[in-house]
Amino acid sequence: MLKVLVVEDEELIRKGIVLAVDWAALDCVVVGEASNGEEALDAVERLSPSLIITDLKMPRMDGIEMLRRLREAGNPVYVIILTAYDSFTYAQSALRLGAVDFLLKPFHDGELEAAVQRIAERGRVRTKPGDFAEISSKNRYVTGAVDYINANYGDPELGVSAVARSVDISEGHLSHLFKKETGYTLTGYITACRMHMAMHLLRDRRCRVSEAAERVGYRDIAYFSSTFKKFTGSSPSEFQNS
């Protein structure tokens, strides 16, 4: 059973999450609430949640700083981020700190439940292709490459050479290390990162396919659509409408 902590400064939204979701049906229990990052850190110490659902922009301490402190302390708690549509770039910082999912406000009926179910499934099975947030390595070149890719996947010019330059080693050496440490080729990881983010974007029907393609670094929508279908089994429009 997942123990859930809800962190949101707007009380109506926070109470709505706590009271409107059938947590028992998800094999979850809400163990606490907090209205900012400082309160959340105290609650984590007392309650040891396994899942935090948190807003990003909050008074006193925002969600990014809260998550940064949790990771510095070695806390591996799952985190779902809630963010406004116009704060997508800000949310990328949370993903680099190990958030496993995010929802765009206002999220639709069933979206939060689906995100929680995905996390529960992650706890039961090994990492699947595309779950790039699970990648970890003690090799500084590999971690540097992962950080660079996660920060720059929206750049159409991102490729193996750019990543290798960012960590100051040769393309061949980095490609060998990356494959050995993660099981991914560099190109495969870049694609997985982009497709994972595109899936997040397309879950919100306000996002057009062309906009999702551009945000994840594709100038050619047809090529984006073809890559997306190979990765997910559905075209972007089919995925969005499902």
Side-chain angles (χ1 to χ4, degrees), residues 5 7 34-46 58-63 65-66 69:
L5 174 67
V7 187
S35 61
N36 59 62
E38 286 185 357
E39 291 181 6
L41 291 177
D42 289 340
V44 168
E45 289 292 321
R46 291 184 287 106
M58 298 178 291
R60 296 176 61 182
M61 183 186 292
D62 65 14
E65 178 63 15
M66 176 195 73
R69 294 194 186 190

Side-chain angles (χ1 to χ4, degrees), residues 1-6 18 23 28-34 43-44 46-52 77:
M1 175 175 284
L2 290 173
K3 299 196 301 182
V4 181
L5 174 67
V6 180
V18 172
W23 294 105
C28 297
V29 59
V30 176
V31 295
E33 304 174 34
V44 168
R46 291 184 287 106
L47 303 169
S48 299
S50 44
L51 169 61
I52 297 175
V77 62

